[in-house]
Amino acid sequence: MNPTTKEIHIPEELPLLPVRDVVIFPYMILPLFVGREKSIAAVDAALARDRLIFLTTQKELAEEEPGPEDIYTVGTVAMIMRMFKLPDGRVKILVQGLAKGRLTQLTSQSPFLTAQVERIVEHRGGELSLETEALMRTVREQLSQLAEMDRALSPEALVIVENVEDPGSLADLVASNIGLRVGESQGLIEISDPLERLHRVKDILAKELELAVVQDRIQSQAKEEMGKSQREYFLREQLRAIQAELGESDARAEDVAELRQKLDAAKLPEEAKGEAEKQLRRLETMHPEAAEYSMLRTYMDWLVDLPWSRSTRDNLDIGKARKVLDEDHYNLEKVKERILEFLAVRKLKKEMKGPILCFVGPPGVGKTSLGKSVARALGRKFVRISLGGVRDEAEIRGHRRTYVGALPGRIIQGLKQAGTNNPVFMLDELDKVGADFRGDPSAALLELLDPEQNHAFSDHYISLPFDLSKVLFIATANIMDPVPSALKDRLEVIRLAGYTSEEKLSIAKRYLIPRQLDANGLKTADVRFSENAVMKLITEYTAEAGLRNLERELGSICRKVARRFAEGKRHSVLVTESTVASFLGAARYLPEEERRENEIGVATGLAWTEVGGEILYVEVNTMKGKGSLTLTGQLGDVMKESAQAALSYARAHATELGIDPNLFEERDVHVHVPAGAIPKDGPSAGVTMATALISALSGRRVSKDVAMTGEITLRGKVLPIGGLKEKALAAVRAHIETIVIPRRNEKDLEEIPKALRKKVRFILARTMDEVLQVALEEKT
């Protein structure tokens, strides 16, 4: 202890420094950080005088401007031993407690707190009594026990404690070193009787010792638990070894044995088998409760469940396959021929690469159901996945195993679902694949849909090459424009055009009506449809290339009949042309109004849409003006350019066409395509626009029975177009008997059914002159 402190004179008025979260006892030496302006001013004042300052603890830690009621009255008079100014404006001081003091009055609060302090003098007796010595020894022993339990007590403090002979000083020294809460420390400093304070310290130490014992017991239990789990692991390993010696096995060994058995049955290729064996050995040495165990177990399940070598035997009976295809689908000869060719080659050559077919056509023509029919004809499993809206490459290739919840891509999942490595795999809606920040799924399809590469398709999750060369891939799309060219190059495109009214009638009688009768709980005798009624449904209640809406309307009639039966009106119903409206209401689609007479400046064109063909009227009027050209009808850029080309052709050949050359400078030309709310584009209306334009300028009428299609050049040549079958169907629906087409489309006439060719006369034209010879009447 420092005996000189007794000789220090403490003035009655001292600067006051409120401290937070700590109680300073006499003889304590500790650093303090001072940041408040008033506190820094108090420190400066103390340093300017005798370096003495009164330290007292504030009651609320967060109080920034403590008043008399916010600080404890009992504190410690301390000496500032050193002072450092920090770069952030704060001050660090090193203080030593000298003596206890009591705040009697706060004399000033500005610029810093000043207080009148009364020194607390403790009674110090002479020789220590036996009771006091015993109490001091008990406290020292308690403190030693606490230090042995890894408490934060320095060895220097223990040495000082052993040498302190004063009970009050011992109590203060112990209290300042055992990390008490502010409330407990303040309670101790306010006890003026040394023996009472030492008794209180003894009680606090006893409580701290109990807490330390409980804490040590909890820690030892935790260590025991860890040791127990390690011991259990070693015991399990020993048990496994003993069971192996006895010919027995545990659950994990059974698990691994089952996997090994499946692995042998799966007949993996060499590379895949080597990797599977390696992962299985890892699984054997891994604890079942390890985080990686379940992930590896799932991976092994996928490996052994994939059909590496399981195949179905193809039905190579060509006649039987043809019968199955005819049963399921009407017409579609080109598709059926391609499937039968595949079977024929398969019969002659066992090992062959599966073709990559792509059915392209309007909605409802039977692309998806055709895939099922192909699988049934071949005797193969059928798997279908929809690519519509897929934007993540991982949907195709899968996720890597390192991700939580990783799974293989849809291709591998589909093969597992099929259970064979040679199913018919349908990729529906290929043209609806999208791309975003997660990658481009169509790029992942490049390897999949390439017969030269897919014998070693790599899925990110499986991470092993899988042979897809035996799979018969069939993709479907409505249009091929959105499909990337690299992917398009890998596909064998088979186009499915729409059906004629007669074909729809046959399909309705053979497939749709029986299916809807069965779906609605009716028998063939309950409701019958006349041919005229079905034909009315086709022409006036649906406007489509496919059959979905037709089947929907047939189903609607069947449901209404079923309701009648359910209400007790059970008698056979015959649906005729005249009774269709009573079931479905007024006709929804009226056919395009037919031209009643030959007109000047109106020509009939043919257009292709995603849902089939349409007829297109082009109207041209001339009026007095300065030779300007006006185009209306929501035409696209290509169509506008076709109109410009038609006008240029007419001007260049005005004399030959019987047109007064002065008209081009004296008359304005207005070209309009009705149905102005519908956007239109494409070059195939070029000849139609030229015919209507020449008709209006020359005064020659255009035949109402002639429709035309073809692109025009400035030289008057007629270039080929696409969608000929759809356009021919549109002409038949509009009762047009003659179609003028480009001569270079002659090859496409083979794709048009014979029944359709009998209804329409096709005129092949190489130049605009040949078109005009057919389309325009002679001037009277």
Side-chain angles (χ1 to χ4, degrees), residues 539-552:
T539 56
E540 297 183 18
Y541 288 85
T542 62
E544 57 177 349
L547 298 157
R548 282 205 184 101
N549 286 320
L550 175 59
E551 185 169 6
R552 202 170 285 130

Side-chain angles (χ1 to χ4, degrees), residues 1-153:
M1 296 301 93
N2 188 356
T4 60
T5 58
K6 297 178 182 178
E7 302 169 5
I8 292 176
H9 170 71
I10 299 175
E12 290 184 359
E13 192 173 280
L14 288 171
L16 188 147
L17 176 63
V19 295
R20 311 190 216 205
D21 205 31
V22 65
V23 175
I24 289 88
F25 285 83
Y27 312 118
M28 276 182 71
I29 298 174
L30 81 163
L32 295 173
F33 288 90
V34 183
R36 292 179 285 203
E37 290 184 9
K38 284 187 178 182
S39 300
I40 293 173
V43 170
D44 291 337
L47 290 171
R49 293 164 56 184
D50 50 7
R51 306 178 77 89
L52 296 179
I53 194 166
F54 184 60
L55 305 174
T56 182
T57 306
Q58 64 183 63
K59 297 175 182 177
E60 291 296 330
L61 187 67
E63 186 62 44
E64 287 296 325
E65 295 287 339
E69 70 282 354
D70 298 319
I71 56 177
Y72 291 105
T73 57
V74 177
T76 301
V77 178
M79 177 178 285
I80 301 175
M81 301 172 67
R82 289 178 189 164
M83 190 267 283
F84 305 93
K85 289 196 174 182
L86 301 175
D88 59 359
R90 292 185 303 159
V91 171
K92 181 181 179 183
I93 58 174
L94 186 67
V95 297
Q96 179 183 10
L98 299 179
K100 293 180 187 176
R102 179 177 284 107
L103 171 66
T104 57
Q105 185 181 352
L106 205 61
T107 57
S108 174
Q109 296 191 38
S110 179
F112 54 86
L113 299 176
T114 307
Q116 287 185 356
V117 179
E118 177 188 9
R119 181 171 181 170
I120 299 174
V121 180
E122 294 184 359
H123 172 71
R124 294 177 185 270
E127 287 187 6
L128 300 174
S129 66
L130 288 174
E131 183 183 351
T132 303
E133 285 187 359
L135 181 60
M136 292 175 69
R137 185 177 295 177
T138 300
V139 169
R140 290 190 185 102
E141 287 174 357
Q142 286 176 324
L143 194 65
S144 297
Q145 291 175 16
L146 207 57
E148 289 173 1
M149 293 182 176
D150 294 327
R151 308 296 287 181
L153 291 171

Side-chain angles (χ1 to χ4, degrees), residues 560-581:
K560 286 176 170 55
V561 173
R563 180 183 171 184
R564 290 184 184 180
F565 282 15
E567 291 172 348
K569 304 172 185 176
R570 196 171 185 91
H571 56 83
S572 180
V573 174
L574 173 64
V575 181
T576 63
E577 185 178 6
S578 58
T579 59
V580 168

Side-chain angles (χ1 to χ4, degrees), residues 731-778:
V732 170
R733 286 197 296 270
H735 306 291
I736 291 173
E737 300 173 354
T738 304
I739 303 177
V740 181
I741 65 172
R743 181 168 289 279
R744 288 171 63 182
N745 280 110
E746 185 176 5
K747 58 181 177 22
D748 299 322
L749 292 175
E750 296 178 5
E751 297 181 7
I752 296 176
K754 292 179 181 178
L756 184 60
R757 273 186 272 177
K758 290 178 181 177
K759 295 182 179 181
V760 181
R761 182 168 65 103
F762 290 95
I763 305 294
L764 303 176
R766 185 177 281 111
T767 64
M768 195 64 212
D769 290 340
E770 295 175 3
V771 175
L772 297 176
Q773 283 178 11
V774 179
L776 296 184
E777 292 182 347
E778 289 300 325

Side-chain angles (χ1 to χ4, degrees), residues 325 329 332 335 359 366-375 426 496:
L325 291 171
H329 286 271
L332 301 180
V335 182
F359 298 157
K367 299 184 295 296
T368 304
S369 62
L370 191 57
K372 294 179 183 177
S373 180
V374 168
M426 173 154 279
L496 283 71

Side-chain angles (χ1 to χ4, degrees), residues 252-516:
R252 182 181 61 174
E254 289 177 1
D255 211 16
V256 172
E258 182 186 355
L259 280 174
R260 191 175 296 282
Q261 186 177 359
K262 287 183 178 179
L263 194 62
D264 293 337
K267 297 179 182 178
L268 276 66
E270 285 303 315
E271 183 180 351
K273 189 173 183 181
E275 178 66 18
E277 290 284 357
K278 177 183 172 183
Q279 299 300 335
L280 196 57
R281 286 194 295 272
R282 281 185 63 203
L283 200 66
E284 281 182 303
T285 59
M286 203 175 288
H287 195 281
E289 295 177 8
E292 198 181 357
Y293 183 87
S294 60
M295 183 198 76
L296 195 54
R297 178 72 172 80
T298 306
Y299 175 68
M300 290 303 300
D301 281 338
W302 274 100
L303 279 188
V304 299
D305 288 343
L306 284 179
W308 298 90
S309 56
R310 293 194 297 274
S311 304
T312 52
R313 187 185 295 276
D314 283 341
N315 167 33
L316 299 178
D317 186 337
I318 308 292
K320 187 177 179 182
R322 176 78 199 204
K323 184 179 178 183
V324 169
L325 291 171
D326 286 340
E327 283 176 2
D328 291 351
H329 286 271
Y330 178 79
N331 206 337
L332 301 180
E333 292 301 322
K334 191 172 182 180
V335 182
K336 294 176 182 177
E337 287 299 323
R338 181 62 186 89
I339 301 305
L340 296 176
E341 287 168 8
F342 169 76
L343 277 178
V345 175
R346 179 81 177 162
K347 195 170 186 178
L348 299 175
K349 184 177 174 63
K350 298 296 181 187
E351 296 298 323
M352 64 171 290
K353 295 171 183 174
I356 314 293
L357 306 179
C358 182
F359 298 157
V360 180
V365 295
K367 299 184 295 296
T368 304
S369 62
L370 191 57
K372 294 179 183 177
S373 180
V374 168
R376 194 164 81 91
L378 295 174
R380 293 190 178 193
K381 298 282 187 180
F382 178 75
V383 182
R384 174 191 167 274
I385 64 170
S386 177
L387 299 177
V390 172
R391 294 178 176 273
D392 189 353
E393 185 187 355
E395 291 277 338
I396 307 297
R397 282 196 180 276
H399 299 84
R400 300 197 183 278
R401 293 204 308 275
T402 50
Y403 295 113
V404 175
L407 281 174
R410 292 197 189 184
I411 307 303
I412 295 296
Q413 289 184 37
L415 288 169
K416 181 185 175 183
Q417 173 192 337
T420 64
N421 63 6
N422 65 336
V424 172
F425 207 118
M426 173 154 279
L427 305 170
D428 228 352
E429 310 293 352
L430 183 64
D431 53 332
K432 311 299 188 302
V433 173
D436 64 6
F437 64 95
R438 292 166 292 188
D440 186 355
S442 62
L445 292 171
L446 292 177
E447 179 188 4
L448 176 73
L449 299 179
D450 190 342
E452 298 299 325
Q453 297 181 42
N454 64 12
H455 64 277
F457 175 73
S458 178
D459 183 275
H460 288 156
Y461 181 82
I462 301 298
S463 195
L464 291 168
F466 194 95
D467 186 4
L468 298 177
S469 62
K470 296 179 181 178
V471 178
L472 174 56
F473 285 104
I474 298 179
T476 72
N478 295 129
I479 52 175
M480 290 300 288
D481 294 344
V483 180
S485 56
L487 187 56
K488 202 181 299 182
D489 186 57
R490 288 162 164 78
L491 304 172
E492 184 179 336
V493 177
I494 299 176
R495 299 193 179 273
L496 283 71
Y499 298 102
T500 64
S501 299
E502 287 74 13
E503 286 173 336
K504 288 183 179 181
L505 178 62
S506 298
I507 293 169
K509 289 196 295 185
R510 290 176 58 176
Y511 303 102
L512 306 185
I513 292 173
R515 190 157 64 200
Q516 285 304 314

